[in-house]
Amino acid sequence: MDYNFREIEKKWQKAWADNKTYKTEIDHSKPKFYVLDMFPYPSGAGLHVGHPLGYIASDIYARYKRLKGFNVLHPMGYDAYGLPAEQYAIQTGTHPAVTTGINIARYREQLDKIGFSYDWDREVRTSEPDYYKWTQWTFIKLFHSWYNKNNQKAEPIEALIAVFAESGNSDINAACSETAEFSAAEWLAMSEKQQQELLMNYRLAYLADTMVNWCPELGTVLANDEVSEGFSVRGGHPVERKTMKQWSLRITAYADRLLEGLDRIEWPESIKEIQRNWIGRSEGCSATFAIKNFDQNLEIFTTRADTMFGVTFMVLAPEHPFVEEITTTECREKVQAYQHWAKNRSERERMTEVKKISGEFTGAYAINPLNGEEIPIWVADYVLMGYGTGAIMAVPGHDTRDFAFARHFGLPIRQVVSRKGETPVDPSDWEDSYDSKEGVMINSGFITGLEVKEAITTTIRKIEEMGIGYGKVNFRLRDAIFSRQRYWGEPFPVYYKDGMPYTLSEDELPLELPEVDAYLPTESGEPPLARAKNWVTKEGYSLETNTMPGFAGSSGYYLRYMDPRNNAEYFSKEANEYWQNVDLYMGGAEHATGHLIYSRFWNKFLYDLGIAVKDEPFQKLINQGMIQGRSNYVYRITGTNKFVSYNLRKDYDTQSLHVDVNIVHNDILDINEFIKWQPQFAGSEFILEDDKYICGWEVEKMSKSKYNVQNPDDLIEKYGADTLRLYEMFLGPLEQSKPWDTNGIEGVFRFMRKLWRLFHDADNNFRVNDNPPTPEELKVLHKTIRKIQEDTERFSFNTSVSTFMICVNELAELKCNNRSILSELTVLISSYAPHIAEELWSLLGNKGSVTLATFPVYNDSYTAENTFKYPVSFNGKMRFLLELPLDIPVSEIEKAVLSAPESAKWLEGKAPKKMIVVPGKIVNVVI
RNA sequence: GCCCGAGUGGUGGAAUGGUAGACACGAAGGACUUAAAAUCCUUUGGCCAUCGCGGCCGUGCCGGUUCGAGUCCGGCCUCGGGUACCA
């Protein structure tokens, strides 16, 4: 074959590895650029064609930046802890490290075949002690830190202890769990255990009884982002709510900064929006309602202080501590039954039966502080204990949920907001509540007549004066649960003394994962690490048996890449000051509420410690779209072994079956292959159209069971890595989801061979001429340089590939085999198709790698034109083209257009009303 | 329900408010060949046409702004994605 990609690609992959072509060091003479891919979890299935999409795109960009003179950091590693390897260990007894090692080797082999420019000397694996030492180290730092809201910064816990001893906690403004006030004297009088318990309320990594998502099937708790609609994201097992003692990270302390930082980073709007919703900041106020015949006040949170005159009942969450105390004797039985029912109702039922309204009257009454009205207190599970105070003031006139509840139980509805210019009607005739914040207050005492927004601030001011409430901001974001009852994860550097947790000292790290006899919980239900022998410190204190969650290791890996072999520090100051943060981060949108928020938190914490120089880890983020599968179907006539071609299927009663896409070409079934494919199809008969069996198709998720999986290795074997790289880009815009369809790959392969032939004669001998390039050749080249540069910088790689095709077509047309033109083209294409570029570069007589070349400089003078073919429109409709010099004045253009022979027909003898002339663009004649 | 994103030929897609359909795939016809592969050439949005002049329609639908709208604005429809008793 003329273009021998197999030989070329093997040769250059070896050369790159042997010469460490992509090894990167700090180089202060060059500007830095950090291009990062989200590192993969190495699953047993290997890579399919969807995985490399983002890797190829970022590789093209990294290579482009090198040609542009940047010192590019482009590392790769593995998110090596994960459930599948552990599940496999439970089933087979194979240590997860073994499985993971095998899978990594397979991934590496596949990645190498695609020709990425990774600096493999910087590889990290989250499950290696050298790496997770720093995950543990960060945990220790979190444990010994608290968040000072006054300066919005994490600070050492020692400073807090000093303040406690000096003046107690009354002057402290911390992000903390609810803590009673105490004086310095009280603090000093406490036992160590009491002090430790108290400090736990302030630590950024803390142990507490928490309502968790417990997944019995996986035998572990899960973070909120690992649960979707009551099922685990990994594996789809049911999840229930349960109170357990768990490690948590006080990410809520950073809620405001996580929100604010979004405005300073270049991420897709959709991802920022998802994070904003996840953080869920809402401004409102807290207000306390007195309860009749009860000495404590009920605190609620509301964003609609303006509607306080419209409150007709109160609602408590079933778990609210007041329920028991305020419920009257007459109501006790029913309320307790309701609480019991609500408690045993699974999360899933609550999710799916959202519309089902339930609740019970407690018999107690609250007193509206603004108008003194007595209002009934109900208990209902549409109020959640986990948000706000677990209690609400219900305003059925202006809140959809309260409205539905009031209607269901026949509670009064009162209107207090009126749409402008509308006469209020009796709410009992309403079909919906009026939730909008547009309108004027009515029936509302001192705020009647005010606009809603004004009414809110006025009411808050009033309740602050009354001393019954204050303006308050609430967040939906919850602290991140950080313990897992699993084996395959980072051990906590924690031991227990007198029931209280203490951290190991930093010089005892890493605390290595111990061996166990089985990867299952113990009989008493303790996590697998409880099986480890001698799982105690030197002093004999028992070590923590939980392990860290999947997001622990991925939260700071981008920092470790800067200095991955450093044994004394997470990373050196020098490395961090040089590499700063990630300039371009490429990965999937599915990490929006997990990894991408945890890393931002992790990074901000390290920034507070003065360890990281940038507070945002990923300056620019691009989400590559998902590659969907394109499945093929055959149609079997029901109850027979006869298959009918796609367009004839309507005449029969058929059932559709998935067929392996690898035995279908352009939707035409390879019948011989089909018969051999599965034994059940051996004697099949076919009803054909035009002598062909046409298959149906559909876009679906790529999966084994749908027989639509395409594996990059097969395509590389057939077409080569360069073709695969170009084709994945050619498929469409990077950020869009798109079906994988190999039909178009032939066109890209044809292009590669055309490119090769530009450099070779008919007998495949390398041949270029050293003549000075012609103006036509220079024009084609420089047009291409400009477009490739533009497209690459805006990540429009699909149009870059088209541009290369156009360039090669035009150069072939010109019979160009000019050395200087082809040399520059080789450099241009080297970031897209690096193997062929290296080969051509060396055939052109260059000694070093093409990666050391410089990106060609665009020269305007080669593309400049003297004339332009104006599209001439009449009333906006393009009628003909007229070629005119570019340097004539507008008046000349007008004259030329009107005197053009074609114009007469459209002018119909009339004089134009107006003429629009955009020089070099268009002419429009208005009649 | 709410918040994003997208709707363009048979298919993937292109197009700073300025020639809609670049570049490919597929299809049809042809050249070369004993044949196949490979390669090359022609046609390819729809409709009309005295098919070598040309014309009309056309970017999900309805309006608007503009000399000019796939692109901007308003209102709908459909399909993806996210999220949900968050007070």
Side-chain angles (χ1 to χ4, degrees):
Chain A
M1 189 191 279
D2 39 10
Y3 160 48
N4 191 339
F5 60 84
R6 285 197 191 91
E7 207 169 274
I8 292 168
E9 293 182 356
K10 212 165 116 193
K11 170 178 160 189
W12 288 103
Q13 282 164 13
K14 183 169 188 304
W16 295 332
D18 290 350
N19 303 331
K20 290 198 186 284
T21 305
Y22 304 113
K23 189 166 173 59
T24 313
E25 303 283 9
I26 292 173
D27 178 354
H28 291 283
S29 71
K30 283 184 181 174
K32 71 95 188 186
F33 202 88
Y34 188 173
V35 179
L36 184 64
D37 294 303
M38 288 186 187
F39 64 169
Y41 171 75
S43 80
L47 294 171
H48 69 62
V49 290
H51 295 114
L53 184 78
Y55 302 161
I56 293 168
S58 61
D59 193 61
I60 288 169
Y61 201 73
R63 287 174 181 273
Y64 169 77
K65 279 295 195 182
R66 282 194 200 100
L67 296 176
K68 280 286 194 180
F70 288 84
N71 188 26
V72 176
L73 179 58
H74 188 39
M76 184 46 108
Y78 304 97
D79 189 12
Y81 278 129
L83 287 180
E86 182 164 359
Q87 294 294 76
Y88 186 72
I90 291 167
Q91 287 158 22
T92 63
T94 311
H95 196 286
V98 173
T99 315
T100 306
I102 292 167
N103 292 348
I104 285 177
R106 165 109 173 94
Y107 263 61
R108 177 62 190 276
E109 202 185 319
Q110 289 186 296
L111 290 170
D112 280 346
K113 276 195 203 164
I114 305 172
F116 293 121
S117 62
Y118 296 126
D119 175 1
W120 282 107
D121 286 355
R122 289 176 183 265
E123 182 198 289
V124 300
R125 300 178 185 191
T126 54
S127 61
E128 285 298 314
D130 282 358
Y131 179 87
Y132 67 67
K133 172 179 179 177
W134 301 105
T135 310
Q136 293 174 332
W137 179 89
T138 311
F139 177 84
I140 292 176
K141 290 291 179 198
L142 283 162
F143 182 85
H144 292 287
S145 300
W146 66 292
Y147 196 83
N148 188 341
K149 282 189 180 172
N150 285 340
N151 52 8
Q152 286 291 321
K153 194 169 180 274
E155 293 186 349
I157 201 95
E158 286 74 25
L160 185 70
I161 294 170
V163 176
F164 285 171
E166 191 69 33
S167 54
N169 72 345
S170 51
D171 297 335
I172 293 289
N173 185 15
C176 59
S177 316
E178 206 168 297
T179 310
E181 219 169 274
F182 58 84
S183 67
E186 283 169 318
W187 169 258
L188 292 169
M190 286 178 203
S191 69
E192 168 161 358
K193 186 169 176 177
Q194 285 171 318
Q195 288 186 340
Q196 286 298 322
E197 274 170 359
L198 229 149
L199 285 173
M200 205 51 100
N201 290 346
Y202 291 85
R203 297 184 191 278
L204 289 182
Y206 64 96
L207 190 62
D209 276 318
T210 319
M211 194 60 109
V212 297
N213 306 301
W214 172 253
C215 179
E217 207 81 14
L218 293 172
T220 189
V221 306
L222 298 169
N224 286 340
D225 68 282
E226 293 168 321
V227 180
S228 175
E229 298 186 353
F231 291 89
S232 65
V233 171
R234 278 247 164 109
H237 307 295
V239 172
E240 52 194 58
R241 304 283 288 169
K242 198 172 166 179
T243 304
M244 286 176 78
K245 208 169 221 24
Q246 297 289 311
W247 285 103
S248 292
L249 300 186
R250 209 176 295 280
I251 188 170
T252 48
Y254 285 82
D256 263 322
R257 282 168 65 189
L258 288 169
L259 212 48
E260 175 277 326
L262 291 174
D263 299 331
R264 292 182 282 114
I265 51 183
E266 302 149 55
W267 287 20
E269 244 350 277
S270 60
I271 297 278
K272 290 196 200 178
E273 208 48 41
I274 290 171
Q275 291 211 345
R276 286 192 190 106
N277 290 339
W278 189 259
I279 295 165
R281 183 179 199 274
S282 62
E283 269 178 46
C285 72
S286 131
T288 51
F289 283 59
I291 302 172
K292 201 178 159 192
N293 304 326
F294 190 63
D295 57 1
Q296 285 189 70
N297 291 328
L298 181 62
E299 189 182 354
I300 57 102
F301 174 78
T302 181
T303 55
R304 293 296 299 272
D306 59 310
T307 61
M308 247 165 118
F309 285 91
V311 177
T312 54
F313 58 100
M314 308 289 282
V315 184
L316 303 182
E319 305 91 345
H320 198 286
F322 279 18
V323 176
E324 208 147 324
E325 302 174 44
I326 63 170
T327 302
T328 57
T329 332
E330 306 85 74
C331 297
R332 175 140 295 143
E333 201 175 319
K334 277 186 169 175
V335 167
Q336 280 178 348
Y338 181 72
Q339 279 181 302
H340 185 75
W341 174 80
K343 194 182 164 191
N344 288 317
R345 205 170 156 212
S346 72
E347 266 304 282
R348 244 171 323 127
E349 281 167 351
R350 275 183 81 152
M351 296 278 189
T352 50
E353 295 174 14
V354 160
K355 295 284 165 281
K356 198 171 158 187
I357 296 161
S358 68
E360 204 58 58
F361 179 45
T362 60
Y365 289 85
I367 294 155
N368 188 325
L370 296 187
N371 60 11
E373 275 180 7
E374 288 186 10
I375 42 185
I377 303 176
W378 284 65
V379 51
D381 72 351
Y382 82 91
V383 173
L384 305 177
M385 198 56 223
Y387 184 78
T389 61
I392 62 156
M393 60 176 215
V395 185
H398 306 283
D399 181 281
T400 311
R401 295 150 305 178
D402 298 343
F403 183 84
F405 193 82
R407 270 288 151 81
H408 189 263
F409 288 105
L411 295 163
I413 299 170
R414 183 184 303 159
Q415 182 176 15
V416 289
V417 182
S418 163
R419 237 181 289 242
K420 264 207 197 104
E422 205 178 68
T423 18
V425 291
D426 185 354
S428 56
D429 296 334
W430 289 7
E431 279 177 26
D432 283 310
S433 57
Y434 180 62
D435 293 9
S436 166
K437 280 190 183 176
E438 299 296 318
V440 187
M441 306 312 301
I442 57 170
N443 306 326
S444 291
F446 66 97
I447 50 171
T448 300
L450 295 182
E451 294 272 339
V452 168
K453 274 157 207 148
E454 230 180 314
I456 291 175
T457 51
T458 308
T459 311
I460 294 175
R461 217 178 310 129
K462 174 81 175 177
I463 59 181
E464 280 176 350
E465 278 167 28
M466 292 167 73
I468 55 157
Y470 51 95
K472 193 180 176 183
V473 174
N474 245 324
F475 292 94
R476 202 185 80 103
L477 184 72
R478 302 275 75 111
D479 281 342
I481 295 160
F482 203 62
S483 341
R484 296 292 179 273
Q485 294 68 46
R486 302 289 295 195
Y487 174 71
W488 191 228
E490 297 87 348
F492 281 87
V494 165
Y495 64 92
Y496 289 87
K497 189 169 105 184
D498 193 16
M500 288 308 295
Y502 292 85
T503 57
L504 298 175
S505 71
E506 289 172 23
D507 56 26
E508 289 172 281
L509 299 182
L511 173 64
E512 293 203 23
L513 189 63
E515 293 300 320
V516 291
D517 56 359
Y519 305 98
L520 289 165
T522 63
E523 278 168 24
S524 57
E526 282 187 87
L529 289 199
R531 293 172 175 274
K533 290 203 181 79
N534 300 319
W535 191 233
V536 292
T537 62
K538 312 192 273 292
E539 299 80 17
Y541 295 116
S542 55
L543 288 161
E544 171 68 64
T545 54
N546 284 296
T547 52
M548 297 187 197
F551 65 82
S554 57
S555 290
Y557 77 112
Y558 48 92
L559 290 163
R560 183 65 178 167
Y561 278 139
M562 294 175 185
D563 193 10
R565 304 290 164 254
N566 193 334
N567 279 322
E569 299 165 279
Y570 204 158
F571 43 86
S572 73
K573 196 85 203 149
E574 191 204 1
N576 186 240
E577 274 171 2
Y578 182 72
W579 296 113
Q580 305 258 319
N581 60 355
V582 176
D583 295 283
L584 173 66
Y585 197 25
M586 185 75 67
E590 65 274 21
H591 297 108
T593 53
H595 164 62
L596 286 172
I597 211 159
Y598 295 127
S599 335
R600 292 182 61 222
F601 157 70
W602 196 271
N603 194 82
K604 283 177 192 297
F605 172 67
L606 294 173
Y607 175 79
D608 286 354
L609 294 190
I611 292 167
V613 297
K614 288 276 190 167
D615 82 315
E616 283 292 341
F618 314 119
Q619 191 52 41
K620 184 176 175 69
L621 174 74
I622 293 185
N623 293 127
Q624 83 275 15
M626 242 192 10
I627 296 254
Q628 295 143 318
R630 187 182 188 277
S631 314
N632 275 115
Y633 289 91
V634 290
Y635 302 90
R636 181 163 64 191
I637 299 173
T638 310
T640 70
N641 62 350
K642 251 190 187 174
F643 292 83
V644 57
S645 186
Y646 178 73
N647 295 301
L648 306 173
R649 72 190 192 289
K650 283 177 240 72
D651 302 333
Y652 303 87
D653 175 21
T654 60
Q655 59 185 135
S656 56
L657 304 173
H658 278 99
V659 59
D660 189 341
V661 292
N662 293 300
I663 60 170
V664 178
H665 308 283
N666 294 328
D667 294 333
I668 298 165
L669 180 68
D670 186 328
I671 289 173
N672 292 330
E673 289 288 322
F674 180 71
I675 289 167
K676 281 187 272 172
W677 180 44
Q678 284 181 4
Q680 53 163 319
F681 301 130
S684 301
E685 292 174 59
F686 302 87
I687 300 173
L688 307 179
E689 51 183 310
D690 299 331
D691 294 331
K692 288 171 205 147
Y693 188 94
I694 313 284
C695 298
W697 62 274
E698 211 152 309
V699 173
E700 298 176 294
K701 202 175 133 83
M702 205 174 267
S703 100
K704 256 188 189 167
S705 63
K706 296 185 167 65
Y707 300 107
N708 61 3
V709 174
Q710 295 268 357
N711 160 316
D713 309 55
D714 297 345
L715 292 163
I716 288 171
E717 178 58 29
K718 203 163 165 199
Y719 301 104
D722 285 336
T723 298
L724 177 78
R725 288 169 65 106
L726 256 56
Y727 185 60
E728 292 228 7
M729 295 300 103
F730 190 58
L731 227 42
L734 182 58
E735 298 178 71
Q736 239 173 55
S737 286
K738 54 226 152 189
W740 179 260
D741 183 351
T742 41
N743 285 341
I745 200 168
E746 296 281 351
V748 174
F749 187 55
R750 265 174 225 151
F751 158 76
M752 291 297 292
R753 301 171 62 165
K754 259 190 212 169
L755 172 70
W756 181 260
R757 283 200 302 273
L758 281 181
F759 295 74
H760 293 82
D761 64 18
D763 302 317
N764 199 31
N765 296 310
F766 181 78
R767 179 158 305 174
V768 294
N769 71 59
D770 289 295
N771 304 336
T774 67
E776 290 78 21
E777 290 170 341
L778 283 166
K779 188 172 159 187
V780 171
L781 175 70
H782 282 264
K783 219 171 61 178
T784 307
I785 295 172
R786 184 180 54 193
K787 185 86 164 82
I788 293 298
Q789 180 164 324
E790 261 174 33
D791 287 354
T792 307
E793 279 179 1
R794 62 192 179 105
F795 303 93
S796 177
F797 299 139
N798 55 329
T799 52
S800 298
V801 177
S802 302
T803 303
F804 282 125
M805 286 175 172
I806 293 167
C807 174
V808 167
N809 286 346
E810 290 180 351
L811 290 180
E813 188 81 13
L814 294 170
K815 304 220 178 332
C816 169
N817 67 337
N818 181 275
R819 177 183 299 275
S820 76
I821 298 286
L822 294 182
S823 292
E824 301 220 332
L825 175 61
T826 303
V827 178
L828 273 186
I829 206 166
S830 68
S831 47
Y832 290 79
H835 306 88
I836 195 174
E838 288 281 25
E839 181 69 14
L840 295 172
W841 189 245
S842 89
L843 287 170
L844 284 162
N846 298 291
K847 283 284 165 285
S849 163
V850 69
T851 57
L852 303 170
T854 312
F855 195 83
V857 178
Y858 170 66
N859 185 338
D860 217 11
S861 64
Y862 296 127
T863 55
E865 304 267 3
N866 302 323
T867 62
F868 179 73
K869 270 190 188 153
Y870 280 91
V872 179
S873 300
F874 288 79
N875 287 340
K877 286 195 179 172
M878 209 283 283
R879 294 305 178 181
F880 61 90
L881 293 172
L882 183 64
E883 185 161 2
L884 293 170
L886 272 165
D887 55 359
I888 58 170
V890 168
S891 58
E892 291 290 318
I893 297 175
E894 289 182 359
K895 221 183 276 174
V897 165
L898 293 178
S899 58
E902 296 95 328
S903 294
K905 179 178 168 189
W906 301 104
L907 287 169
E908 293 168 332
K910 287 175 249 173
K913 273 194 199 134
K914 194 175 175 184
M915 274 187 87
I916 312 288
V917 177
V918 186
K921 273 273 157 73
I922 196 171
V923 177
N924 190 16
V925 185
V926 185
I927 313 165

